[in-house]
């Protein structure tokens, strides 16, 4: 608990970015704990932090690392590594929208991916090169809009979803 000083003036705090938190992966010791209970700090046992994706996109996966959908990746790994967490005193801040961005390849740009050759489960000294579309990142980004709870938009006022389209294969 903050005691006094500058921390008393903080109205909201944000934790954002590539947190590499994997609450889906099964491990020999079991599944990772979900993120929010780990960072909770109040006496009631409820988290003071809100995951904006879970708040606004209930039921949607929200994979920010998606080797099936990202045009510059190949593979099967799909995880929600990137998060935007918010904690607000007096619950005056509301999340309006959370959207994935950077899902399309940059037109006209490609990159050369070095691919390691494997034999009998071990890497060899041989490599090949694969030309792939270039996206803004290997992770999709998050854009989150916030507002004062007293100005909560109605369902009709909410902006339409900006679903990314997959880049066309060239």
């Amino acid at each position: 608990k903050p005691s006094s000083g500058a921390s008393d003036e903080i109205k909201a705090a944000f934790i954002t970015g590539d947190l590499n938190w994997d609450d889906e992966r099964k491990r020999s010791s079991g599944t990772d704990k979900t993120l929010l209970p780990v960072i909770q700090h109040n006496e009631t046992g409820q988290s003071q932090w809100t995951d904006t994706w879970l708040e606004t996109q209930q039921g949607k996966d929200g994979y920010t690392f998606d080797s099936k959908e990202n045009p510059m990746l190949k593979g099967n790994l799909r995880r929600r590594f990137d998060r935007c967490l918010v904690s607000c005193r007096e619950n005056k801040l509301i999340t309006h929208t959370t959207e994935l961005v950077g899902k399309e390849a940059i037109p006209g740009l490609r990159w050369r991916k070095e691919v390691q050759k494997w034999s009998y489960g071990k890497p060899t000294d041989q490599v090949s090169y694969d030309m792939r579309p270039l996206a803004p990142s290997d992770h999709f980004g998050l854009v989150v809009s916030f507002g004062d709870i007293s100005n909560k938009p109605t369902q009709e006022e909410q902006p339409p979803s900006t679903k990314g389209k997959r880049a066309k294969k060239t």
Side-chain angles (χ1 to χ4, degrees), residues 63-79 81-82 100-106 109-111 113 130-141 164-169:
Y63 298 132
T64 58
F65 187 91
D66 191 337
S67 57
K68 289 185 176 184
E69 294 295 324
N70 191 320
M72 65 186 275
L73 303 175
K74 289 185 179 178
N76 293 311
L77 183 61
R78 305 175 94 186
R79 294 289 189 271
F81 290 139
D82 304 78
L100 293 173
V101 295
K103 294 180 75 174
E104 297 183 31
I106 301 168
L109 293 180
R110 300 182 66 75
W111 71 292
K113 166 73 175 164
D130 187 12
M131 293 303 292
R132 298 186 184 173
L134 181 65
S137 174
D138 61 336
H139 290 231
F140 301 139
K165 297 176 185 169
R166 186 168 177 166
K168 294 179 182 176
K169 294 182 180 180

Side-chain angles (χ1 to χ4, degrees), residues 44-106:
T44 66
Q46 293 183 328
S47 178
Q48 294 177 318
W49 294 90
T50 300
D51 183 323
T52 63
W53 183 267
L54 296 178
E55 184 177 23
T56 62
Q57 298 288 345
Q58 297 159 351
K60 296 183 182 176
D61 294 321
Y63 298 132
T64 58
F65 187 91
D66 191 337
S67 57
K68 289 185 176 184
E69 294 295 324
N70 191 320
M72 65 186 275
L73 303 175
K74 289 185 179 178
N76 293 311
L77 183 61
R78 305 175 94 186
R79 294 289 189 271
R80 199 168 67 87
F81 290 139
D82 304 78
R83 314 279 174 119
C84 178
L85 308 175
V86 62
S87 180
C88 180
R89 283 198 187 172
E90 302 168 16
N91 295 320
K92 291 188 176 184
L93 189 67
I94 188 165
T95 306
H96 291 302
T97 61
T98 306
E99 299 289 337
L100 293 173
V101 295
K103 294 180 75 174
E104 297 183 31
I106 301 168

